[in-house]
Amino acid sequence: MKVTWCVALPALLLVACITVAASPYRFTVETDKPSYHRKEYVCILGRLTYNDWPVQQQQVSVSVRNPLDKTVFYGTNTTDSDGRYNVTFRLSNQTELGTYTVRVNHFEAGSNCTTFRVTSLPGDVNGDGKVDLADVYQVAMAYGSYLGHPRWDSACDSNGDLKIDLIDYYTVTRNYGKTDP
């Protein structure tokens, strides 16, 4: 795909045109949910294509910067047969609250970025800034699951023990009705 810009300069009786080829690469990046709490796992995923065809076996690098603009995670992954990649890391107990920036780079496709938030409101599993019936329902749907289980939802694992149990349900019900400051 090419993009052409033309500018008419009547005083000089000149029309100047420049044609720029748009990149045939498409590079997506997202996180598995919009907000997290300390000690949770963050999954960063995306897809690399060239003219809508998957780019296979290509290395991408992932960096995450905290609200203080300090790199808190750096990793690499290789795209699969469908051009997809994913990287997972765990937030520490001392993780800064606020908005984090994720940047994914590929040597030819360039880079793309997204953001996620780390909040202090335990029980807000869907990240909307309040603990309500939607959060209770989400934990109920994941109840009894564990990492790798079909109903597993990392957002519901409030204590980071890789299973959804009464402790996680209690976290939601204890904070029911609260909102993020």
Side-chain angles (χ1 to χ4, degrees):
M1 177 175 156
K2 293 185 178 183
V3 178
T4 302
W5 290 285
C6 293
V7 177
L9 302 170
L12 300 174
L13 299 172
L14 176 69
V15 174
C17 293
I18 184 169
T19 302
V20 178
S23 174
Y25 284 101
R26 291 191 188 216
F27 198 21
T28 64
V29 59
E30 61 184 290
T31 56
D32 59 331
K33 58 185 192 169
S35 67
Y36 300 88
H37 304 291
R38 291 177 172 138
K39 296 174 55 178
E40 276 193 291
Y41 287 91
V42 177
C43 181
I44 301 163
L45 51 132
R47 188 167 188 234
L48 177 61
T49 59
Y50 183 88
N51 286 332
D52 296 325
W53 288 90
V55 177
Q56 304 173 4
Q57 301 302 310
Q58 291 291 307
Q59 185 172 341
V60 296
S61 62
V62 178
S63 62
V64 178
R65 297 183 76 79
N66 70 10
L68 304 174
D69 205 30
K70 177 182 174 190
T71 299
V72 294
F73 175 80
Y74 179 83
T76 60
N77 193 266
T78 302
T79 57
D80 66 13
S81 61
D82 197 33
R84 297 186 187 284
Y85 64 88
N86 67 66
V87 175
T88 301
F89 72 99
R90 189 171 186 184
L91 297 170
S92 77
N93 197 28
Q94 303 300 317
T95 299
E96 294 285 333
L97 301 178
T99 301
Y100 284 66
T101 302
V102 177
R103 180 169 302 279
V104 180
N105 296 295
H106 178 262
F107 74 99
E108 286 187 71
S111 65
N112 198 353
C113 62
T114 190
T115 60
F116 66 86
R117 288 189 44 75
V118 175
T119 65
S120 63
L121 183 59
D124 179 20
V125 297
N126 64 5
D128 65 357
K130 59 187 175 196
V131 181
D132 58 12
L133 196 54
D135 301 299
V136 173
Y137 178 76
Q138 192 169 334
V139 172
M141 294 307 295
Y143 189 81
S145 68
Y146 47 86
L147 183 64
H149 189 276
R151 288 192 332 267
W152 170 253
D153 184 346
S154 65
C156 299
D157 185 15
S158 63
N159 62 346
D161 65 356
L162 304 180
K163 61 185 177 184
I164 311 302
D165 56 15
L166 280 175
I167 294 169
D168 305 302
Y169 184 75
Y170 176 72
T171 300
V172 173
T173 57
R174 183 185 68 222
N175 293 296
Y176 188 86
K178 293 182 180 176
T179 58
D180 205 9

